[in-house]
Amino acid sequence: MKKIYLSLGLSAALIFLSACASSQPGSGGDLTGQVWVLSELGGKSLEASTGISALFTSGGKVSGSSGCNRYSGSYTVSGTSITFSQLASTMMMCDSPVMAQETAYLKALGEAKTFTVKGNQLSLFDSGGSTLAVYNAQSQDLAGTSWDVLSYNNGKQAITSVMIGTSLTADFDSDGTLSGNSGCNSYSGAYNLNGSQITIGPLAATKKFCGDPAGLMDQESQYLAALQTAATYQVEGTTLSLRTQSGALVVQLTKK
């Protein structure tokens, strides 16, 4: 899926969908505590390689990926009723089918009137009771998963993309071992999970030196250091984000 980055900020123009009322949990079920990943939109499956998601906070905020862009806003519930409002989005451009799907998704949020949570499935309905969107709860289990690194914190308060032509990987084994390729060398160490908390390390790597491309060894050391600062994690669609306890992003990965 090709993305053309036009802006990294939130759109200045907010998409107002409805007025805000109450954000207390409704009898339709608990929306919080899960990462909801869209599986069906208007009775249709999603475009390939797109992940649409929704994360609800107890404070009445909603955010997620709309397939190409990130969105955020407010939601209110009363019983089984739900209303989305004040949605804002980043302004990237993707392929036409992805953009059309994104428009349809945000429109569906604006039309949502009721919801249900049954087990691991969230459904949104319009005023006539027709199904607008169906989500499934995202598994947060890392055991047995493999990832490619997209970006990492370089230790200078900046998130840096992986150098073109190089590959950083992370494999979370079921025995609590994290291993992978750090660009030049192989590395391994322990990881431990406790809810959304994660600890990684100490990590050990082989001792090969790679001088090409220039900067590869710096990237390797910065990536390994960033991994060991991770305190929390979240899987959202095909993306894994590792953050510090204060919420700063340290490594972002995509599922193999």
Side-chain angles (χ1 to χ4, degrees), residues 157-199:
Q157 298 184 335
I159 299 298
T160 303
S161 297
V162 174
M163 296 169 58
I164 295 174
T166 67
S167 175
L168 307 179
T169 64
D171 303 315
F172 293 86
D173 296 334
S174 56
D175 65 356
T177 299
L178 170 62
S179 60
N181 188 292
S182 48
C184 176
N185 289 282
S186 298
Y187 71 92
S188 64
Y191 77 94
N192 291 283
L193 305 179
N194 182 13
S196 63
Q197 305 290 310
I198 187 170
T199 56

Side-chain angles (χ1 to χ4, degrees), residues 12-13 58 63 70 86 88 95 98 101 124 132 154-155 169 171 207 249 254:
S58 58
S63 62
R70 299 288 302 180
Q86 299 178 336
D95 296 335
V98 177
Q101 176 180 264
L124 302 178
L132 293 168
N154 64 6
T169 64
D171 303 315
K207 300 298 184 181
L249 183 66
T254 185

Side-chain angles (χ1 to χ4, degrees), residues 6 19 64 113 207:
L6 298 181
K113 299 300 180 185
K207 300 298 184 181

Side-chain angles (χ1 to χ4, degrees), residues 19 35 44 47 55 67 71-73 83 91 94 101 120 122 125 129 164 198 218 226-227 241 245 250 254:
V35 176
K44 299 178 181 179
E47 292 289 328
L55 293 80
Y71 72 95
S72 61
T83 302
M91 297 183 67
C94 295
Q101 176 180 264
N120 290 325
L122 162 64
F125 307 93
I164 295 174
I198 187 170
D218 287 337
L227 278 177
S241 298
Q245 197 66 57
V250 290
T254 185

Side-chain angles (χ1 to χ4, degrees), residues 26-41 52-56 62-63 71 75 77 79-82 84 105 109 112-125 131-138:
S27 58
D30 189 3
L31 296 170
T32 64
Q34 299 280 8
V35 176
W36 298 103
V37 177
L38 193 70
S39 60
E40 184 180 305
L41 179 62
I52 297 179
S53 59
L55 293 80
F56 298 85
V62 61
S63 62
Y71 72 95
Y75 77 97
V77 294
T80 61
S81 298
I82 188 167
F84 293 90
Y105 173 67
L109 292 184
K113 299 300 180 185
T114 61
F115 76 102
T116 61
V117 176
K118 295 182 178 179
N120 290 325
Q121 189 172 86
L122 162 64
S123 300
L124 302 178
F125 307 93
T131 303
L132 293 168
V134 177
Y135 306 78
N136 293 318
Q138 173 80 62

